[in-house]
Amino acid sequence: MATQTQETQDVQAHGDGHGHHERLQHHFISLDQQFSSAKLGMWLFLVTELLLFSGMFVAYAVYMQWYPEAFAVASEALDWKMGFANTIVLLASSLTVALSIHFIQKGNTKAMITSLSATLGLAVVFLIVKYFEYTDKFSHGIYPGEAFNPTGSYAYLDVPNAVQYFSIYYVMTGIHAVHVIVGMLVFAWLIYRALRHHFSPEWYTPVELGGLYWHFVDLVWIFLFPLLYLL
Amino acid sequence: MSSATAAQGSPAASKAGNQGASTYLNHKKTIRSWLLTLDHKRIGVLYAVTLATVFLLAGLLALAVRAELFMPGETIMSNDAYNQTFTMHGIMMVFLFIVPSIPAILGNFVLPMQLGAKDVAFPRLNLASWYVYMIGGALVVTALLVGSVDTGWTFYTPYSSSGSVSVLYMTLAIFIAGFSSIFTGINFIVTIHKMRAPGLTWNRLPLFVWGLYATSIVMVLATPVIGITMLLLFLERILQIGIFDPALGGDPILFQHFFWFYSHPAVYIMILPAFGIISELMTAFSRQRIFGYKAIALSSVAIALLGFLVWGHHMFVSGQSAISGIVFSLITYLIGIPSGIKIFNWVATMYKGSVWLQTPMLYALSFLFLFTIGGLTGIMVGVLAVDVHLHDTYFVVGHFHYVMMGGTVIALLGGMHYWWPKITGKMYNETLGKIAAILIFIGFNTTFFPQLILGAQGMPRRYANYVEEFTFLHQVSTIGSLVLAAGLFLVLGYMVYSLFRGQKAASNPWGAATLEWTMATSPPDPHNFTRTPIVTRGPYDFHLADEVFGPQHTGDGAGDGAAPEPAVPRKTETA
Amino acid sequence: MAHGHHIIPKKTLFSVFAALIGLTLLTVITALTIDFGVLEIPVALAIASTKALLVVIFFMALKYDNRVNALAITVGLVFVSVFIIFTMLDTVFRGDLDNVSNITISQQEREDEQLRAREPDADQLRVAPADFVGVDDDEASAAVDEAATADEAPAQ
């Protein structure tokens, strides 16, 4: 909390942060205010992400209710083991992110960098598994939309409206994968900054926000996995 | 600090002191300092210039549409050109002008000042929103150059997913412009929650802030859905993913659900900030505390939330299920309640007030009249059975112009006149202002009231041609549009003139009691206030506003709003 | 500042992770072995929601956070369900107008009156197959057709 004297100084100096933490921006009074603002902003951003994905879930619900048989047949084509493995990978990465925040709060930059790197690694693993899933499907002619033409061991998928299932599958997992890639860029950037000792127990806002974002990516997958792979 | 306070000590000193003082407009002068500015006021000005340009272009397109409709048959353009013209008019006006208009211009400028904050919570995000908007605008222009878009602003499938390639650019443009809206919404919500000056409780927030708060909720909740809709439309168009295209087993009505889940709440993005402005104008120019502060504040939030439950009333004749038609129709009536509360409270605010008929107040009164017509015709088309007759006729066109233009644009004009002295430090010409306001009011009604009649008689919308019987009303409408345009150009003229030759504005020419008037110079300091305001009263407590009327309440109401030292001892700041 | 931040102990984080893995196994096992019939989706969603709640409360630390953040995400969820439910309100009942007549009410009343005004003759009183014995085929099928049309018209 800033005292009156500090506040006046701040105003007089036109907010160059005189007498304050170097990370305090001029229009905030305290680091607390700045941190909780950033966090509320992040939560609101996650709300927008939620609504973005909700469109896909609506499409899924509608077509699932119209064509349950086609969806039942189509979802069998997805290998639940791959989905399960990826679920574990993402859950583990969520744990490492939560740990990295735990470590920086205790001032342990080294451990934070380790667990951020682990998160990055797990994200790579997730995408590799996804890559194998996609290429397997593509090689059998399972494309989203018009090009959908299942062959070989997947020929049984040639039923009406299976194409809707796979369109939804590709769009949902595709958008999700884009989010994973963005998350990887975020973590690379966080690691870079951590290596330069930008973070401290007093100020680690980017790590906190990156963590929130990554947990959200995990949350989406928690719902995608049973809906797409198991039902 | 002492020198700044002295400059504000008396009106005379304030006027003299402003001469050489550094304001947000002149403390840095390079183009670069404008394009990279993080100052919410400058970003507001950037938006003002951009949006005025868009409004001018889209308005010219509207004049072209009206000119074509002056006579039956081909008048000035081919049918194809007509389709593209009204589509561009709709897309530009809706997505590039009205949705950002009030929040981006006046919200950006006024909101932090009304909160007593130095800036919005995320200044860089704020600047990014302008750049993102510009990219969206550039893509709209690209779409125009690459080919033709004639889908109407609603992009209904399957026409939009099978037509011209430039629809791709257009969907991308709207996808991107949506982010601009999201950034603004997030910024405003966080700013209102976290950046309020000491003493500024939720019950002391100016109603413009409440309006923007409700708007921001809608922006954050609805805009992502237009994002995913446009993305799916994009994929439908390039990959034929079969979600919306009936030929591939998709459902075109699903597209309408997606589209209106955003676009109906979006009309509340357009109108809620306008409500906020009208509340400010009504109370400031009636010299009266607002009637039913809490009712107005909460009805804005109620409209924002209810607005999400009614999108299906755009789809009564689309083939959606009858049960959902009935439910959507019933919930639509509910919107009338909070809107009615507002109208009632504004009228009650004027009652026994000291109404001062300056230009902004003329716009506020126009708003009352026009928005009431817009709202009531809205209830009419919200009635399931009546809508079957009126759907896709000029009645709907008239209705939404009464709400969007008669509501939002009129409120924007009122707000621009009201805050013009604060933004530019100059006064516009009051006489010309009044003439323009009356011209606009007459022109508007002459343009759009005949359209309500035309629609009731069966004139369908989006047609370049019509039967002979409709000629007279169409001609009245076209003539009205010229009067309206004359009024708007007059506004443009004297506003620009005032920038160079206008009288210098006092700090508080209207004697309003909100922080941007009582605590800041015109134009404001780069950091808004020379000291953090301490709020000890509600925004419209004129009887407590010593800084406006003087401690003995002898002021004439046109005071200079020089703020005295705060009466309460300052304690530890809380935000 | 740090004093405002709750530090979640490692032990909590690891137990939450263990619970998440357990729930993932549970959802896989129930999906593969037990047939819940129509409840299959609700069960899967319930397990997923539990997992999501764990992540939100502990990993995202909403439990120790400002209430406004929880409110924000809750409002978001409410509107996601509004989106899904109101859309399904259409898609589930799509086409429910098909059992409604598409002729106007006055037309219906006119037809009713005409039907009432018509004196039932012997032909129309025949209902059982036996009644038709001895009548020549054309006439009989015409009568049946007419009756069928009269029946169907209002319920089209």
Side-chain angles (χ1 to χ4, degrees):
Chain A
M1 290 293 162
T3 65
Q4 178 48 43
T5 345
Q6 278 172 327
E7 170 61 17
T8 315
Q9 277 174 352
D10 184 30
V11 170
Q12 279 179 333
H14 279 315
D16 62 358
H18 176 70
H20 288 291
H21 192 278
E22 55 173 331
R23 294 290 173 199
L24 182 61
Q25 290 173 294
H26 83 275
H27 57 294
F28 290 111
I29 289 170
S30 66
L31 274 182
D32 255 354
Q33 187 197 18
Q34 185 174 322
F35 181 76
S36 71
S37 299
K39 228 170 152 181
L40 177 58
M42 192 65 200
W43 275 103
L44 290 171
F45 173 70
L46 294 185
V47 171
T48 68
E49 289 276 24
L50 179 68
L51 267 297
L52 182 85
F53 278 100
S54 78
M56 292 312 305
F57 282 105
V58 169
Y60 176 89
V62 166
Y63 285 106
M64 176 79 174
Q65 162 243 322
W66 273 338
Y67 313 116
E69 299 88 1
F71 269 47
V73 172
S75 72
E76 271 171 32
L78 297 186
D79 187 354
W80 71 264
K81 290 181 201 105
M82 295 267 213
F84 178 71
N86 259 349
T87 310
I88 303 294
V89 166
L90 273 192
L91 288 176
S93 72
S94 255
L95 173 69
T96 54
V97 168
L99 282 174
S100 69
I101 290 163
H102 172 89
F103 289 131
I104 188 63
Q105 282 174 328
K106 293 199 158 174
N108 189 345
T109 308
K110 221 171 175 185
M112 177 189 70
I113 293 171
T114 315
S115 58
L116 282 178
S117 313
T119 314
L120 189 55
L122 288 166
V124 174
V125 173
F126 178 88
L127 284 184
I128 291 173
V129 174
K130 209 80 227 135
Y131 169 80
F132 282 117
E133 280 190 274
Y134 277 179
T135 45
D136 175 53
K137 297 287 174 296
F138 288 153
S139 66
H140 291 88
I142 301 176
Y143 292 103
E146 210 175 30
F148 183 75
N149 182 26
T151 54
S153 54
Y154 288 122
Y156 67 92
L157 288 175
D158 204 4
V159 292
N161 300 111
V163 58
Q164 261 82 31
Y165 177 86
F166 282 101
S167 292
I168 291 171
Y169 164 75
Y170 279 117
V171 176
M172 276 178 140
T173 55
I175 296 177
H176 182 261
V178 169
H179 279 79
V180 171
I181 293 169
V182 170
M184 287 163 62
L185 295 174
V186 169
F187 287 124
W189 175 72
L190 288 177
I191 292 167
Y192 168 78
R193 291 195 68 174
L195 286 170
R196 312 184 95 200
H197 295 286
H198 284 186
F199 304 126
S200 67
E202 282 76 43
W203 188 80
Y204 58 91
T205 313
V207 189
E208 176 83 24
L209 301 190
L212 285 177
Y213 171 79
W214 189 252
H215 292 308
F216 180 81
V217 174
D218 187 20
L219 281 178
V220 173
W221 185 259
I222 284 177
F223 283 94
L224 287 184
F225 170 59
L227 288 178
L228 291 174
Y229 288 79
L230 295 177
L231 294 177
Chain B
M1 179 168 166
S2 56
S3 69
T5 316
Q8 283 210 330
S10 70
S14 164
K15 270 173 198 151
N18 275 354
Q19 296 289 334
S22 144
T23 69
Y24 84 99
L25 287 169
N26 65 15
H27 74 117
K28 284 182 204 150
K29 292 206 165 125
T30 57
I31 301 275
R32 190 186 144 84
S33 76
W34 275 91
L35 291 180
L36 295 180
T37 182
L38 297 179
D39 183 348
H40 68 99
K41 301 182 286 301
R42 285 193 163 198
I43 294 170
V45 173
L46 286 179
Y47 263 120
V49 174
T50 321
L51 292 181
T53 316
V54 173
F55 185 59
L56 179 66
L57 292 176
L60 291 176
L61 290 174
L63 287 180
V65 166
R66 282 315 321 165
E68 166 60 30
L69 292 171
F70 193 70
M71 302 276 256
E74 195 170 308
T75 313
I76 58 163
M77 58 176 106
S78 67
N79 293 347
D80 273 345
Y82 178 84
N83 290 345
Q84 290 167 38
T85 310
F86 79 71
T87 300
M88 283 311 291
H89 166 71
I91 290 174
M92 287 173 79
M93 279 296 191
V94 171
F95 292 107
L96 294 184
F97 176 69
I98 299 193
V99 166
S101 64
I102 297 178
I105 303 173
L106 293 173
N108 259 329
F109 192 94
V110 175
L111 176 86
M113 301 194 70
Q114 288 199 328
L115 293 176
K118 284 182 214 155
D119 208 321
V120 291
F122 311 118
R124 272 177 291 189
L125 197 65
N126 203 11
L127 181 64
S129 89
W130 184 71
Y131 277 102
V132 167
Y133 170 87
M134 293 303 279
I135 296 170
L139 275 168
V140 169
V141 176
T142 317
L144 196 62
L145 298 177
V146 173
S148 61
V149 184
D150 56 359
T151 58
W153 73 279
T154 50
F155 301 103
Y156 275 9
T157 51
Y159 186 52
S160 58
S161 59
S162 52
S164 145
V165 190
S166 56
V167 171
L168 284 180
Y169 290 90
M170 205 52 104
T171 52
L172 208 58
I174 287 158
F175 178 78
I176 290 173
F179 281 98
S180 159
S181 217
I182 289 176
F183 291 169
T184 306
I186 291 179
N187 230 331
F188 283 2
I189 294 181
V190 176
T191 308
I192 295 168
H193 270 278
K194 305 285 180 186
M195 310 285 286
R196 303 194 306 276
L200 191 57
T201 60
W202 285 90
N203 283 331
R204 287 176 180 170
L205 287 181
L207 286 165
F208 185 46
V209 174
W210 271 107
L212 288 172
Y213 185 67
T215 309
S216 306
I217 295 175
V218 185
M219 282 176 163
V220 166
L221 288 172
T223 317
V225 176
I226 196 73
I228 188 76
T229 311
M230 290 297 142
L231 200 62
L232 286 174
L233 184 57
F234 190 82
L235 293 173
E236 185 79 60
R237 180 70 182 69
I238 55 171
L239 294 175
Q240 279 81 43
I241 55 171
I243 302 285
F244 297 139
D245 189 350
L248 297 161
D251 179 24
I253 300 178
L254 191 61
F255 175 85
Q256 299 187 21
H257 281 296
F258 274 58
F259 181 82
W260 290 113
F261 184 86
Y262 164 74
S263 294
H264 191 74
V267 310
Y268 299 106
I269 294 180
M270 303 169 197
I271 198 69
L272 284 170
F275 290 158
I277 290 181
I278 298 305
S279 302
E280 297 289 329
L281 298 183
M282 280 295 169
T283 177
F285 290 95
S286 301
R287 278 298 175 280
Q288 176 92 311
R289 290 179 74 178
I290 194 92
F291 183 90
Y293 171 88
K294 277 190 188 167
I296 295 186
L298 294 179
S299 62
S300 287
V301 179
I303 291 175
L305 300 181
L306 273 178
F308 279 93
L309 309 178
V310 298
W311 78 81
H313 66 213
H314 295 270
M315 301 165 58
F316 284 158
V317 299
S318 69
Q320 69 174 352
S321 73
I323 179 77
S324 61
I326 292 165
V327 170
F328 279 128
S329 179
L330 288 176
I331 304 177
T332 301
Y333 303 159
L334 293 182
I335 302 268
I337 298 171
S339 315
I341 289 175
K342 281 175 185 294
I343 297 283
F344 176 80
N345 285 358
W346 290 325
V347 175
T349 302
M350 286 188 287
Y351 177 67
K352 287 191 176 171
S354 171
V355 177
W356 191 23
L357 280 180
Q358 294 295 89
T359 311
M361 188 59 175
L362 289 182
Y363 283 109
L365 293 175
S366 307
F367 177 95
L368 272 193
F369 185 82
L370 302 176
F371 178 75
T372 305
I373 294 181
L376 291 177
T377 51
I379 296 284
M380 288 166 77
V381 287
V383 179
L384 189 48
V386 178
D387 184 69
V388 174
H389 175 70
L390 295 176
H391 195 90
D392 270 352
T393 67
Y394 263 62
F395 192 86
V396 175
V397 177
H399 154 67
F400 71 69
H401 280 92
Y402 262 94
V403 180
M404 289 185 185
M405 177 141 195
T408 309
V409 177
I410 293 290
L412 175 67
L413 284 167
M416 283 309 286
H417 283 82
Y418 180 61
W419 279 297
W420 189 257
K422 186 56 67 181
I423 295 173
T424 63
K426 299 288 172 64
M427 294 302 288
Y428 57 86
N429 185 316
E430 188 60 46
T431 315
L432 289 176
K434 282 178 182 157
I435 293 172
I438 291 165
L439 269 181
I440 289 172
F441 181 77
I442 294 172
F444 180 87
N445 282 301
T446 320
T447 311
F448 293 107
F449 206 84
Q451 297 191 0
L452 292 174
I453 304 170
L454 277 171
Q457 290 175 348
M459 170 76 205
R461 71 193 277 199
R462 294 180 172 169
Y463 275 50
N465 200 354
Y466 50 85
V467 291
E468 295 282 335
E469 296 93 295
F470 294 143
T471 313
F472 174 69
L473 286 171
H474 269 300
Q475 289 183 346
V476 172
S477 180
T478 303
I479 291 164
S481 72
L482 293 174
V483 178
L484 181 55
L488 288 169
F489 276 112
L490 183 57
V491 173
L492 181 69
Y494 68 72
M495 286 299 208
V496 172
Y497 178 83
S498 80
L499 286 180
F500 303 100
R501 296 284 173 82
Q503 228 180 7
K504 245 183 144 16
S507 288
N508 190 2
W510 316 119
T514 43
L515 289 175
E516 81 274 24
W517 296 110
T518 58
M519 293 289 290
T521 51
S522 300
D525 180 83
H527 290 268
N528 295 351
F529 307 105
T530 42
R531 58 186 158 75
T532 304
I534 312 265
V535 181
T536 55
R537 57 168 172 79
Y540 312 116
D541 290 342
F542 289 97
H543 61 295
L544 299 175
D546 291 348
E547 64 270 38
V548 182
F549 298 104
Q552 283 79 44
H553 301 275
T554 53
D556 56 358
D560 203 10
E565 281 294 303
V568 287
R570 291 196 213 169
K571 285 179 251 153
T572 309
E573 318 264 32
T574 48
Chain C
M1 269 165 246
H3 59 79
H5 301 161
H6 182 89
I7 303 182
I8 304 169
K10 264 195 247 179
K11 200 180 150 199
T12 315
L13 295 177
F14 278 106
S15 7
V16 169
F17 178 65
L20 288 170
I21 301 291
L23 285 167
T24 312
L25 283 169
L26 181 69
T27 190
V28 171
I29 290 164
T30 51
L32 294 180
T33 58
I34 310 169
D35 183 18
F36 287 104
V38 287
L39 286 178
E40 204 162 357
I41 297 179
V43 167
L45 282 180
I47 298 174
S49 305
T50 317
K51 287 165 71 180
L53 217 57
L54 283 175
V55 170
V56 169
I57 290 175
F58 294 104
F59 282 178
M60 298 170 95
L62 207 51
K63 188 180 169 187
Y64 316 100
D65 208 349
N66 197 322
R67 293 260 174 84
V68 177
N69 299 348
L71 180 68
I73 202 80
T74 313
V75 170
L77 282 171
V78 167
F79 282 96
V80 170
S81 31
V82 164
F83 192 9
I84 294 179
I85 291 169
F86 277 59
T87 308
M88 301 273 284
L89 193 62
D90 164 28
T91 57
V92 173
F93 298 103
R94 181 77 60 79
D96 57 356
L97 275 180
D98 287 356
N99 55 5
V100 177
S101 167
N102 58 1
I103 61 172
T104 63
I105 292 172
S106 52
Q107 207 177 340
Q108 257 178 24
E109 282 169 351
R110 259 199 312 279
E111 281 181 12
D112 285 352
E113 252 167 58
Q114 281 170 359
L115 281 175
R116 266 198 299 275
R118 213 159 54 184
E119 203 52 47
D121 58 15
D123 275 352
Q124 281 169 319
L125 287 174
R126 283 191 300 223
V127 282
D131 296 337
F132 290 95
V133 177
V135 185
D136 91 69
D137 282 352
D138 282 350
E139 206 187 317
S141 61
V144 170
D145 280 352
E146 199 188 345
T149 335
D151 280 344
E152 269 169 24
Q156 196 180 50

